[in-house]
Amino acid sequence: MSLNRLAVSATNHCLTGCAIGEFAGMALATAFGWGDAPQIALAVALAYLFGFSLTAVPLVRAGLTAGVVVSTALAADTVSITIMEAIDNLTVVLIPSAMDAGLADALFYGSIAAGFVIAYPFAFWANRYLITRGKGHAVVHEHHAH
């Protein structure tokens, strides 16, 4: 697989986990009527959880030990998820009224999606850089074909 294709694959993987966690966290916190800080905290926590889980599940299926699974998932995803979450949440905070949008509001979904669109190229370049150095998702590929 080419370097760019591998970086796109890693970034799409990150985007998937982040998007699931971010939308779930924001939706739950909005439904519970939580304020901005707890809403962002829950969304970020779930983004990391889902992002790491998407990497961990195939590694567990490959028969790796818990220590190897955790260290590999952390090595593979931490930088990319951090970039995605920082840019996405900053975007949502900066878009007027986005933090106050309800679940039936297009602004709720659009602001999160816009954040990921902005974050994607930054995560791609970070993933590409890490892969060229044998880090990031290159670590996952040492253990299985992902």
Side-chain angles (χ1 to χ4, degrees):
M1 187 180 290
S2 76
L3 173 60
N4 285 336
R5 195 166 183 197
L6 188 55
V8 165
S9 175
T11 307
N12 288 344
H13 174 271
C14 173
L15 175 65
T16 302
C18 286
I20 293 168
E22 189 76 22
F23 278 108
M26 290 288 199
L28 287 169
T30 298
F32 295 146
W34 291 358
D36 293 352
Q39 184 176 23
I40 290 171
L42 179 62
V44 170
L46 289 178
Y48 276 99
L49 176 69
F50 281 99
F52 290 140
S53 295
L54 288 177
T55 296
V57 168
L59 296 174
V60 169
R61 287 185 186 143
L64 300 174
T65 66
V68 172
V69 169
V70 170
S71 64
T72 301
L74 289 172
D77 294 326
T78 300
V79 170
S80 187
I81 293 171
T82 300
I83 290 168
M84 284 272 190
E85 286 303 297
I87 293 172
D88 182 65
N89 283 289
L90 180 61
T91 301
V92 172
V93 167
L94 292 176
I95 293 175
S97 302
M99 290 300 297
D100 299 322
L103 295 175
D105 213 340
L107 182 59
F108 174 86
Y109 303 97
S111 63
I112 296 170
F116 285 128
V117 167
I118 294 166
Y120 191 92
F122 294 97
F124 167 81
W125 286 110
N127 282 321
R128 189 178 190 284
Y129 176 83
L130 290 169
I131 291 165
T132 63
R133 280 142 187 85
K135 300 180 187 301
H137 265 261
V139 176
V140 173
H141 289 274
E142 292 175 7
H143 297 291
H144 72 93
H146 181 76

